[in-house]
Amino acid sequence: MSTQKDIEEPSYLDYKGKYRGIFSWILSTDHKRIALLYLFSILAFFATGATLGLLMKFELIAPGKTIMTAQTYNAFFTLHGIIMIFAVVIPGLPAVFGNFLLPIMIGAKDVAFPRLNLLSWYFYVMGVSLVLISQFTGQGPPDTGWTFYAPYSFRTTGNMLPAVFGAFVLGFSSILTGLNFLVTIHRMRAPGMKWLKMPLFPWTLYATGWIQLLATPIIGITLLMIIAEKTLHIGFFDPALGGDPILYQHLFWTYSHPAVYIMILPAMGAISEIISTFSHKTLFGYNFMVASSLAIAFVGYFVWGHHMFTSGMSSTALYAFSLLTFLVAIPSAIKVFNWIATMHKGSIDLQTPFYWAMGFIFVFMIGGFSGLILGSLATNIHLHNTHFVLAHFHFIVFGGTGFAFFGAMHYWYPKMTGKMYDSRWANIGLFLFLTGFIVLYGTMFYLGYKGMPRRYYDYDEIFHTGNIISTMGSWVLYSGLGIIIINLFASLKSGAKAPSNPWGGKTLEWSVPSPPPVENFKEIPVVTKGPYSYK
Amino acid sequence: MYSTTGIEASNYVSTFNTAFYFITGVSLLLLVGLTFTMLYFVFRYNKKKNLVATQIEGNTFLEILWTVIPIILSLVMFYFGWAGWKPTTRPPKDAMNITSVARMWSFLFVYENGKQSPELIVPVNTPIKINLVSMDVIHSLFIPDFRIKADIIPGREKFMWFLPQIEGKYKIFCAEYCGLQHSSMHSTVNVMSQEKFKAWYAESAKVAAVGENAGPGAAGEAIMRAQGCFACHTPDGTKLIGPSYLNLYGTQQVVLREGKEITVTVDPEYIKRSILEPNADITKGFPANLMQSYRSTLSDDDIAKIIEYLKSLNDK
Ligand code: HEM
Ligand SMILES: [Cu+2]
Ligand SMILES: [Cu+2]
């Protein structure tokens, strides 16, 4: 299948190993095949979560009951949140594009621990299966929200334990991936690839790896504590047993805030690659980009309290957390400035991935600015737990990570599949998606400002118009999404063959054939120049 | 009812607005500025216009500039947020005390003279301090027009305070997810003139008066509305979270007592126990731990009225 005549090695897609058929995939330790395993599982769960989202939005088109009961709605946003957070955006970029590209971008033949890598995919599948099992067993699906706040989570009859345990197993998957990447980056860079010659995407995976390794165990312990409390009645969190519900919130957010950076850092890395490649220009302020990635990972540990401004923490804690929240915004702002500066005096090739990068910058800025509004104490007290927050985090995680994911998809698609896609349909899809996105979530800022709380099945008449508009936005977003995905699948069959470097990129993955051979490099390259050397 | 036309329903509206408009204003300027810069670059340095890119590694002066300016801006933003929030922690000494008792899925407001109301009735221009009590899970008292909210946490002493400045009715929502009927857990703040409030406060009836066509059990029904029993029970046979009251009185019930199934008769004794120690006997087929004791808000006399009401549902 490979396009270069001088290469005889079969691509990773054609390679015949010990196993045949499906087993050649689910027993493969090739980082590229594992990446595709992740890609297809994540796409399937994304489709599930997105369908739940669409149905919830339909329910909200009018006050009162439209298509489902309150019980179903509550179960839907719980499942939607768990799937989207733990099974889609946390593993998203690292597990798919990190797995596929990290070894190639640093000039290695695989990750440091290929079997561990496969194991983490199995943990992933087990974790999600547990979450799905919780839906159909016991006394009804869990209805606590993805945050499992105590003490409600101890009162509900919903089947919470398997879901919590599922999230725990998913955490393990995440830890293993992080560990694997850290060791790979430390030990397996090609000769000559000094730390500061490494492209940005591996750098952000490196920062992410540390968060996965250090923060995820906290949620692991917390979830275990819930399980112990529910089964053995040890009072950690439930006041009825002498526990403290606020302790639960602290533990939960000590992980879940840094987790936001697990989602967004690799996204920023991918966007940096795209912008440099299509501007045909070296990344502006490379050192500052590296430093700001590490700064985000570090400061991100100290702001969890901003999720709890109304819970009655001490005044000192409140303003310390508020101040730190404003500071964590700075490294992100630095990144935006550097991306835009990279375009200055570039020679910009307007291809689909670059449009996604522009879309990313735009929605990410909106998400970030709304984060400032939420980080400020006086405004937080009004906006906390309203649709404003819902809009904010969809702009950051769906707008940020989601746009970067689709951008990365269109950027590395030729490398991964060996095919080109139809860019006209891809652009139409993107246009609809972006429009729908802004209508769907932009309206939620307004609804939240007016006072509509989140996790609301039913609402006051004053919120009706906003909800109608928002729901219509979800339809537009969906048509865009459909076009994008169908186009990518159709191009697998009908797309033209991809050359090894369709976009003129400078990083190492563009020096190997598309799709890459099993061992990536015939000969490990020796790196002498920086990652984006166009000179 | 809900208005954003610059009326300041509470003392927090103006400080909220300062912080909100400042941050939003600066953000919008930056958003528009950066977006247009980006679009301009994309247009101006398109490869059709600019065949060869000029390689620029970076510029330390610029990096410092766009680190320092955002830091200064964000410190100012922080300041406005902090200044607007500071007063929420300091209730005036002469504030009027009201206790808000939250439970699944209703609010009840208890006044210092023992008066109870499902609606928060307050006099205008009087600082109000609300002590927040939850009987079960975490709830959150949210008054959008007043720009204030506070979580209500079981087992913790907390308060919120505000100064209502304009007479009228304003929505209260529960803003922390608390289960099935979370979105129907709402109420209103009724801000009255001082005189009207005094008259209402002095009325002897503990619970607001009942309609004229008050039949037997009407007083009990009013108490139960105020206490929020109907969030979980219905008078018409529909099953919600708890059993319906229809034809409940006098029947035989299978209940779980200490894990064993026994049969009891629904008599005044049993009803009283159900209300004061709901988890002693769990009606078969219904969840335990959901109904919480009403010991602190219902007197024996109230319970007698409730029993009257339950009896009255049998004749239907
Ligand atoms: C595909 C389109 C999507 C739609 C239509 C959608 C819609 C919704 C809706 C209607 C809610 C519940 C609102 C409420 O009553 O509070 C919600 C909650 C949520 N969504 Fe999405 N969403 C989408 C994609 C995503 C993505 C990609 C993520 C990734 C992180 C995500 C994460 C969440 C989370 C974490 C919650 C909160 C759940 C909770 O409150 O426990 N959503 N979404
Ligand atoms: Cu956070
Ligand atoms: Cu609630």
Side-chain angles (χ1 to χ4, degrees):
Chain A
M1 206 196 255
S2 76
T3 47
Q4 277 89 345
K5 287 197 195 82
D6 53 322
I7 287 156
E8 313 88 49
E9 256 190 275
S11 86
Y12 80 104
L13 292 170
D14 298 332
Y15 174 73
K16 303 259 182 310
K18 259 192 290 184
Y19 305 101
R20 292 278 163 275
I22 179 98
F23 292 106
S24 71
W25 287 89
I26 62 172
L27 293 176
S28 168
T29 53
D30 181 351
H31 66 100
K32 299 180 286 300
R33 290 201 165 197
I34 296 176
L36 291 197
L37 286 180
Y38 269 114
L39 176 63
F40 285 107
S41 4
I42 286 176
L43 278 183
F45 297 126
F46 175 73
T48 315
T51 308
L52 293 172
L54 185 73
L55 291 173
M56 282 191 282
K57 279 319 300 183
F58 198 76
E59 170 57 42
L60 291 181
I61 199 168
K65 181 174 168 180
T66 315
I67 50 168
M68 59 179 88
T69 62
Q71 185 69 58
T72 314
Y73 185 86
N74 296 349
F76 272 20
F77 72 64
T78 304
L79 185 61
H80 170 84
I82 298 177
I83 287 188
M84 287 302 196
I85 296 284
F86 292 111
V88 176
V89 289
I90 288 184
L93 281 129
V96 178
F97 300 105
N99 256 325
F100 198 99
L101 292 148
L102 172 67
I104 312 184
M105 288 176 98
I106 64 172
K109 295 195 160 171
D110 206 318
V111 291
F113 309 114
R115 294 209 190 124
L116 204 60
N117 203 12
L118 182 62
L119 181 67
S120 64
W121 181 72
Y122 277 98
F123 274 145
Y124 172 82
V125 173
M126 265 160 52
V128 187
S129 309
L130 279 166
V131 172
L132 294 180
I133 286 173
S134 73
Q135 303 298 310
F136 305 108
T137 54
Q139 293 190 45
D143 64 342
T144 57
W146 76 283
T147 48
F148 305 119
Y149 265 22
Y152 179 71
S153 52
F154 297 103
R155 291 285 183 291
T156 174
T157 52
N159 191 14
M160 197 188 74
L161 278 183
V164 170
F165 193 61
F168 177 77
V169 175
L170 283 169
F172 264 92
S173 166
S174 183
I175 294 175
L176 293 184
T177 306
L179 177 75
N180 217 337
F181 286 2
L182 285 179
V183 178
T184 308
I185 293 171
H186 268 277
R187 322 244 12 157
M188 299 178 65
R189 279 169 290 134
M193 183 174 279
K194 304 235 168 55
W195 282 101
L196 289 180
K197 287 207 164 69
M198 200 161 69
L200 248 267
F201 186 55
W203 258 118
T204 50
L205 289 172
Y206 182 74
T208 309
W210 279 112
I211 310 180
Q212 287 174 302
L213 201 62
L214 296 179
T216 318
I218 302 173
I219 190 86
I221 302 267
T222 313
L223 298 176
L224 276 187
M225 284 163 89
I226 296 194
I227 293 174
E229 180 152 359
K230 241 190 145 141
T231 52
L232 308 174
H233 303 287
I234 305 172
F236 295 118
F237 307 129
D238 185 352
L241 296 171
D244 182 357
I246 299 300
L247 173 67
Y248 175 79
Q249 298 185 6
H250 278 297
L251 287 172
F252 182 83
W253 290 112
T254 311
Y255 163 74
S256 295
H257 193 83
V260 175
Y261 299 108
I262 300 181
M263 307 168 200
I264 201 69
L265 272 169
M268 295 168 150
I271 293 298
S272 306
E273 303 292 337
I274 295 174
I275 291 182
S276 162
T277 295
F278 291 90
S279 304
H280 297 297
K281 197 172 158 236
T282 185
L283 198 64
F284 192 92
Y286 170 86
N287 292 342
F288 292 92
M289 286 300 241
V290 171
S292 57
S293 304
L294 298 175
I296 290 177
F298 182 73
V299 186
Y301 278 106
F302 304 104
V303 299
W304 77 86
H306 65 209
H307 298 270
M308 301 164 57
F309 283 154
T310 60
S311 75
M313 286 186 294
S314 77
S315 306
T316 325
L318 282 177
Y319 61 74
F321 278 125
S322 172
L323 193 58
L324 284 164
T325 301
F326 279 105
L327 293 184
V328 81
I330 306 295
S332 303
I334 294 176
K335 282 187 179 290
V336 171
F337 295 132
N338 279 299
W339 285 323
I340 296 181
T342 303
M343 299 175 192
H344 179 234
K345 298 205 169 168
S347 173
I348 297 172
D349 186 9
L350 273 179
Q351 300 279 356
T352 312
F354 191 81
Y355 284 124
W356 278 105
M358 287 169 68
F360 170 93
I361 294 181
F362 181 67
V363 293
F364 182 71
M365 282 196 292
I366 298 180
F369 288 133
S370 61
L372 296 177
I373 301 178
L374 288 167
S376 145
L377 291 170
T379 40
N380 179 282
I381 285 182
H382 173 61
L383 298 169
H384 173 70
N385 258 348
T386 63
H387 267 54
F388 195 93
V389 173
L390 207 59
H392 160 71
F393 72 70
H394 278 99
F395 263 89
I396 292 281
V397 283
F398 195 9
T401 314
F403 274 61
F405 191 92
F406 284 114
M409 197 69 233
H410 287 91
Y411 180 49
W412 282 306
Y413 182 93
K415 182 56 59 190
M416 298 170 84
T417 63
K419 297 283 178 132
M420 301 302 288
Y421 50 81
D422 182 334
S423 55
R424 209 169 51 98
W425 279 114
N427 294 345
I428 295 174
L430 160 59
F431 176 75
L432 286 176
F433 185 87
L434 179 65
T435 314
F437 185 90
I438 289 169
V439 176
L440 165 60
Y441 297 114
T443 346
M444 289 188 189
F445 281 124
Y446 171 76
L447 285 170
Y449 174 74
K450 290 280 262 178
M452 177 168 171
R454 66 188 273 213
R455 298 179 174 176
Y456 256 34
Y457 162 74
D458 188 9
Y459 53 81
D460 198 275
E461 192 54 45
I462 48 174
F463 304 123
H464 196 170
T465 319
N467 272 296
I468 295 178
I469 298 174
S470 172
T471 300
M472 303 215 285
S474 74
W475 303 335
V476 180
L477 178 135
Y478 257 73
S479 21
L481 206 56
I483 293 177
I484 291 164
I485 303 224
I486 292 173
N487 180 44
L488 289 179
F489 272 104
S491 301
L492 282 180
K493 278 224 168 80
S494 62
K497 276 197 176 150
S500 61
N501 191 357
W503 318 123
K506 289 289 173 189
T507 38
L508 282 176
E509 79 271 28
W510 303 113
S511 69
V512 301
S514 312
V518 181
E519 302 232 292
N520 304 341
F521 302 94
K522 249 189 186 165
E523 240 169 86
I524 295 296
V526 176
V527 178
T528 52
K529 291 189 274 184
Y532 311 105
S533 46
Y534 283 88
K535 271 184 209 149
Chain B
M1 177 190 281
Y2 191 101
S3 154
T4 39
T5 51
I7 321 170
E8 298 185 353
S10 90
N11 55 324
Y12 299 125
V13 178
S14 69
T15 46
F16 170 89
N17 284 345
T18 314
F20 186 81
Y21 291 134
F22 178 73
I23 303 176
T24 312
V26 172
S27 298
L28 278 178
L29 275 180
L30 284 169
L31 177 71
V32 171
L34 287 166
T35 307
F36 276 96
T37 311
M38 175 167 76
L39 291 175
Y40 172 71
F41 285 169
V42 170
F43 172 77
R44 172 65 186 79
Y45 301 109
N46 195 298
K47 76 171 180 191
K48 287 186 204 118
K49 292 212 175 88
N50 199 30
L51 220 59
V52 182
T54 315
Q55 301 302 325
I56 309 167
E57 299 276 329
N59 180 329
T60 310
F61 172 73
L62 274 180
E63 299 284 350
I64 293 174
L65 194 69
W66 63 45
T67 307
V68 172
I69 293 180
I71 289 185
I72 295 172
L73 279 177
S74 62
L75 287 178
V76 181
M77 292 177 182
F78 165 77
Y79 169 77
F80 281 123
W82 174 79
W85 155 85
K86 197 70 198 149
T88 62
T89 58
R90 295 184 180 148
K93 286 206 183 57
D94 58 345
M96 173 174 171
N97 272 290
I98 300 174
T99 301
S100 153
V101 182
R103 55 171 88 229
M104 287 175 178
W105 290 287
S106 63
F107 292 104
L108 180 69
F109 299 95
V110 182
Y111 292 77
E112 275 177 324
N113 69 352
K115 229 175 146 69
Q116 302 185 352
S117 161
E119 203 181 42
L120 177 56
I121 297 175
V122 293
V124 70
N125 289 327
T126 311
I128 307 290
K129 182 178 169 205
I130 306 216
N131 302 303
L132 302 163
V133 177
S134 167
M135 304 304 291
D136 39 44
V137 300
I138 304 180
H139 302 275
S140 186
L141 184 67
F142 175 30
I143 313 171
D145 292 279
F146 290 3
R147 305 287 187 272
I148 183 89
K149 93 162 55 74
D151 295 359
I152 313 178
I153 293 158
R156 287 222 171 186
E157 273 183 30
K158 285 192 65 197
F159 69 85
M160 75 192 243
W161 85 271
F162 53 81
L163 180 69
Q165 295 176 333
I166 296 174
E167 286 173 39
K169 288 193 169 187
Y170 308 93
K171 292 266 176 218
I172 295 179
F173 297 118
C174 173
E176 181 62 58
Y177 177 67
C178 54
L180 186 63
Q181 309 263 37
H182 164 57
S183 62
S184 355
M185 181 164 168
H186 45 68
S187 176
T188 33
V189 193
N190 190 345
V191 182
M192 293 180 167
S193 68
Q194 311 251 358
E195 299 74 47
K196 260 201 188 151
F197 177 80
K198 268 195 198 109
W200 174 82
Y201 197 60
E203 272 169 26
S204 58
K206 188 169 146 190
V207 171
V210 198
E212 304 89 64
N213 47 1
E221 185 182 355
I223 293 173
M224 290 164 75
R225 288 227 176 277
Q227 299 284 343
C229 311
F230 295 107
C232 303
H233 299 277
T234 63
D236 61 9
T238 323
K239 181 180 150 186
L240 291 181
I241 292 281
S244 171
Y245 294 136
L246 185 70
N247 295 326
L248 178 66
Y249 187 83
T251 52
Q252 301 278 309
Q253 283 275 339
V254 182
V255 300
L256 285 168
R257 182 176 293 171
E258 287 162 6
K260 282 189 214 81
E261 278 189 21
I262 55 168
T263 305
V264 294
T265 312
V266 182
D267 52 14
E269 182 81 17
Y270 170 78
I271 293 175
K272 191 170 168 188
R273 228 161 94 85
S274 289
I275 295 172
L276 298 181
E277 300 167 55
N279 288 316
D281 292 345
I282 308 295
T283 315
K284 197 177 166 200
F286 290 90
N289 282 326
L290 267 178
M291 185 169 161
Q292 305 295 320
S293 170
Y294 283 82
R295 184 158 278 139
S296 56
T297 47
L298 289 178
S299 65
D300 281 357
D301 184 43
D302 295 331
I303 293 177
K305 286 186 183 132
I306 288 177
I307 293 170
E308 267 322 293
Y309 168 69
L310 293 185
K311 267 188 203 158
S312 77
L313 290 175
N314 276 16
D315 316 329
K316 287 186 184 156

